[in-house]
Amino acid sequence: QFALINNNLVENIIEATQEVADTFKPDWQAVIDITSLDPAPSIGWSYSNGVFAPPVVPPAPPAPAPAGK
């Protein structure tokens, strides 16, 4: 598996040989072999300085107070 990176974000994951993945390189910021990574990055993960990171999920907003209180 290869992660296709643009703007430091994983935009796509492909199943391919290294030879095929290399053909994608001119169109992407980076094409990274993620076959042996655990956990495996997925679309939406960031990639910077050779490190993948999952997206940061903002905390849920607090529940509104019951009406009339």
Side-chain angles (χ1 to χ4, degrees):
Q1 283 189 317
F2 291 84
L4 305 181
I5 315 292
N6 262 340
N7 300 316
N8 296 324
L9 289 174
V10 177
E11 290 190 357
N12 205 351
I13 303 289
I14 61 169
E15 294 276 346
T17 64
Q18 183 68 58
E19 288 177 333
V20 171
D22 288 345
T23 67
F24 285 83
K25 287 184 177 180
D27 300 321
W28 295 88
Q29 174 187 350
V31 177
I32 308 295
D33 184 348
I34 61 169
T35 305
S36 63
L37 298 183
D38 185 23
S42 56
I43 293 171
W45 282 43
S46 63
Y47 180 75
S48 181
N49 299 317
V51 177
F52 287 98
V56 176
V57 178
K69 300 236 177 181

